């Protein structure tokens, strides 16, 4: 019995984990506590792992790394756009 559903459950949790950060960053234009360098490294790692996943044709891994790349890219773009800006909760 294939256990792919475990992988897709993991992808769902991963997506849900990124959402509060992305929503806060975009909605409140607040880059507090974000490390652009770390998210850039995660995005590059996602590219490398995505290429590997494609070569081994692992669908769950491809979807996961595609999401990591997309989320990392969104965070990097908006982190740069709102660099130094803080919401009221973070002292802005």
């Amino acid at each position: 019995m294939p256990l792919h559903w475990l992988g897709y459950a993991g992808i769902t949790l991963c997506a849900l984990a990124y959402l509060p950060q992305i929503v806060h960053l975009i909605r409140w234009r607040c880059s507090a506590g974000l490390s652009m360098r770390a998210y850039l490294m995660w995005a590059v790692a996602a590219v490398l792992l995505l290429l590997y996943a494609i070569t081994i044709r692992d669908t769950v891994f491809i979807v996961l790394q595609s999401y990591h790349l997309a989320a990392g890219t969104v965070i990097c773009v908006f982190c740069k756009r709102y660099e130094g800006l803080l919401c009221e909760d973070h002292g802005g």
Side-chain angles (χ1 to χ4, degrees), residues 63-76:
V63 173
L64 176 64
Q65 293 311 316
S66 296
Y67 182 76
H68 274 291
L69 179 58
T73 301
V74 166
I75 290 172
C76 286

Side-chain angles (χ1 to χ4, degrees), residues 24-82:
H24 184 81
L25 176 61
I26 295 171
R27 183 181 220 183
W28 301 108
R29 297 181 174 141
C30 177
S31 62
L34 292 176
S35 169
M36 178 72 147
R37 189 174 297 153
Y39 279 103
L40 279 173
M41 289 174 61
W42 282 325
V44 171
V47 169
L48 297 174
L49 290 168
L50 177 59
L51 292 173
Y52 175 71
I54 291 169
T55 62
I56 64 171
R57 296 185 174 110
D58 185 327
T59 306
V60 171
F61 202 26
I62 291 169
V63 173
L64 176 64
Q65 293 311 316
S66 296
Y67 182 76
H68 274 291
L69 179 58
T73 301
V74 166
I75 290 172
C76 286
V77 166
F78 283 96
C79 189
K80 185 64 179 171
R81 185 174 183 179
Y82 302 135

